[in-house]
């Protein structure tokens, strides 16, 4: 099972050749996917050789092979994690029953919606990032961008496989629609807000990988707990790829912080704009923006949908199976931050309807660990500054805080104070123009743009100055 069959037109480890109907459906979708990739994938680099990793097995050890590849030749396919024999539904009303290998009829619509919503984010991020290659800070970073892009393409394949394999005609229609929506398009936008935002520069890209791909990690992790076994197996393998996307984000921001600190010490100023760096205050504003739009992706604090997904056994909590409780949550409560006049208070709410907020809490804790690692770099340089996560109620468009004006420190403020101060908290037009002015491509081997430090090491044991993308 672990090995992937690359002799087939669609590489897979699901014995696709044994299911002719499904094989035909996917082979029919494949050229449409490639057309989408050529139209909406990385602009200007489709014919270049890129040093990419491709999955060759789904084992934890040694699943990837590295080599030069033109992106349209990437072997997108269907890779599921190893099945767990005897796996059960581990939570909700069906707890203790054997995990479903087929979609339970009563949950067909709900499950389809969950899969489509996840699937829609995958091509969306490729669309958002499609122009970034032209302004890469180095060949190393260019390669990482493309690795993320081809893997998001594969994640789309993963969701399309589930739709085509388990949802018949409806599933095939959804598969088509996933290629037709476009990020930021007024008429046919992507489903979720953060995936219609622009990713116009590399600072935004790294922030996106850190914050928004991490939302992906938490969504996938809770879908990996699903009682619908094919979804669980699919998401478990996607998580191994997602880890790299978050690494790209965290390490990218860390290198920008590192460079900022070097420039601050060299020039004895924290105004780095005349020295071509990105100052920490600007980074804080970008952080505030990307964190807040990513927090929205978890949905409303109180959600009967979330409760229903859980009770049905479709979407669990983060690390559901490791938790020591009844996995039913009918009696349990959970502390939720809520708006009470001009204050934010904690209230105990029924645990089932609070599952979005609980997942958001797991996410925030994970983000905080990354921010702490950035702050260590600042501290090591003897600089008195700390990057901070904004309060969860800051700049929200979804949930109970959407109506309120809240400062990054969690104070509920007036519209007047918001109007006066928001330019200190969110990227301004001036910030955006400055960051854009830094977006000049650097493509010499081993060279890096002035605003970002080189990485500590290269990819797959290769040196930092390795030719990660052959542009000649
Ligand atoms: Fe993804
Ligand atoms: Fe990702």
């Amino acid at each position: 099972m672990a090995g992937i069959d690359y002799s087939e037109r669609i590489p897979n480890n699901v014995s696709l050749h044994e299911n002719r109907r499904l094989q035909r459906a996917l082979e029919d979708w494949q050229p449409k996917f490639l057309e989408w990739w050529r139209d909406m994938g990385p602009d200007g680099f489709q014919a270049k050789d890129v040093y990419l990793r491709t999955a060759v097995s789904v084992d934890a050890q040694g699943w990837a092979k590295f080599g030069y590849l033109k992106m349209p030749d990437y072997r997108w396919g269907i890779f599921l994690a190893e099945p767990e024999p005897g796996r059960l539904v581990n939570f909700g009303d069906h707890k203790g029953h054997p995990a479903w290998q087929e979609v339970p009829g009563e949950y067909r619509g709900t499950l389809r919606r969950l899969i489509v919503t996840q699937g829609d984010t995958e091509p969306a991020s490729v669309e958002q990032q499609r122009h970034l290659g032209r302004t890469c800070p180095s060949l190393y970073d260019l390669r990482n961008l493309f690795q993320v892009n081809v893997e998001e393409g594969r994640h789309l394949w993963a969701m399309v496989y589930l739709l085509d394999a388990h949802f018949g005609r409806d599933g095939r229609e959804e598969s088509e629609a996933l290629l037709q929506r476009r990020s930021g398009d007024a008429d046919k936008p992507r489903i979720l807000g953060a995936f219609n935002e622009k990713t116009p520069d590399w600072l935004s890209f790294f922030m996106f990988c850190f914050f928004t791909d991490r939302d992906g990690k938490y969504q996938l992790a809770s879908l990996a707990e699903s009682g619908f076994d094919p979804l669980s197996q699919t998401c478990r393998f996607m998580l191994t790829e997602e880890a790299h996307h978050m690494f790209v984000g965290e390490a990218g921001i860390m290198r920008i912080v590192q460079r900022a600190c070097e420039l601050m010490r060299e020039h004895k100023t924290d105004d780095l704009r005349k020295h071509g760096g990105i100052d920490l205050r600007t980074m804080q504003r970008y952080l505030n923006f990307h964190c807040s739009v990513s927090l929205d992706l978890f949905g409303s604090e109180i959600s009967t949908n979330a409760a229903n997904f859980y009770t049905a056994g479709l979407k669990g909590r983060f690390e559901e199976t490791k938790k020591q409780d009844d996995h039913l949550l009918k009696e349990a409560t959970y502390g939720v931050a809520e708006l009470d006049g001009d204050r934010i208070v904690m209230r105990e709410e029924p645990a089932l309807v609070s599952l979005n907020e609980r997942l958001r809490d797991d996410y925030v804790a994970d983000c905080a660990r990354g921010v702490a690692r950035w702050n260590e770099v600042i501290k090591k340089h003897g600089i008195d500054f700390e990057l901070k996560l904004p309060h969860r109620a800051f700049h929200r468009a979804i949930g109970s805080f959407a109506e309120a004006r809240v400062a990054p420190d969690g104070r509920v403020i007036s519209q007047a104070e918001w109007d006066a101060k928001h330019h200190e908290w969110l990227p301004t037009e001036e910030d955006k123009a400055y960051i854009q002015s830094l977006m000049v491509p650097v493509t010499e081997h081993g060279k890096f743009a002035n605003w970002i430090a080189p990485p500590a090491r290269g990819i797959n044991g290769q040196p930092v100055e390795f030719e990660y993308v052959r542009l000649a």
Side-chain angles (χ1 to χ4, degrees), residues 337-411:
E338 285 169 20
L339 198 60
D340 182 6
D342 57 1
R343 290 181 320 142
I344 293 170
V345 295
M346 291 297 288
R347 275 212 196 100
E348 288 296 313
E349 295 287 351
L352 273 177
V353 291
S354 310
L355 286 165
N356 284 343
E357 188 66 359
R358 184 189 290 239
L359 194 60
R360 188 160 23 232
D361 282 339
D362 290 324
Y363 168 84
V364 169
D366 200 18
C367 289
R369 287 189 284 273
V371 173
R373 286 189 285 271
W374 298 335
N375 283 330
E376 275 170 38
V377 174
I378 303 175
K379 213 170 147 196
K380 247 189 242 150
H381 283 81
I383 292 166
D384 183 24
F385 186 94
E386 258 189 23
L387 292 166
K388 290 194 182 81
L389 290 178
H391 191 277
R392 71 184 59 217
F394 171 75
H395 187 237
R396 290 286 301 280
I398 288 178
S400 58
F401 301 117
E403 303 305 315
R405 291 302 191 187
V406 180
D409 63 7
R411 278 178 310 117

Side-chain angles (χ1 to χ4, degrees), residues 83-84 86-87 98-104 165-166 227-231 233:
E84 285 172 27
R87 186 166 176 268
W100 304 295
Q101 300 305 323
E102 294 300 331
V103 177
H166 297 281
F228 179 49
D229 205 41
L231 177 60
Q233 275 179 264

Side-chain angles (χ1 to χ4, degrees), residues 118 121-122 151-152 155 213 220 238 242 245:
Q118 177 61 42
T121 67
E122 315 289 359
E151 287 177 354
E152 300 303 5
H155 290 177
D213 279 283
L220 291 175
M238 289 166 78
E242 209 60 76
H245 308 177

Side-chain angles (χ1 to χ4, degrees), residues 125-186:
S125 66
V126 175
E127 292 166 358
Q128 288 170 295
Q129 296 161 13
R130 68 183 299 255
H131 297 296
L132 288 174
R134 297 196 178 279
T135 59
C136 65
S138 72
L139 290 182
Y140 167 89
D141 291 293
L142 186 61
R143 176 264 167 211
N144 282 349
L145 166 70
F146 294 156
Q147 183 70 53
V148 170
N149 291 160
V150 294
E151 287 177 354
E152 300 303 5
R154 207 204 65 73
H155 290 177
L156 172 60
W157 271 89
M159 293 297 115
V160 163
Y161 161 73
L162 292 173
L163 290 168
D164 279 4
H166 297 281
F167 294 88
R169 195 197 161 90
D170 295 350
R172 286 195 296 283
E173 280 170 14
E174 295 284 13
S175 300
E176 304 275 319
L178 283 164
L179 295 176
Q180 277 149 20
R181 286 185 287 273
R182 290 285 181 273
S183 176
D185 190 291

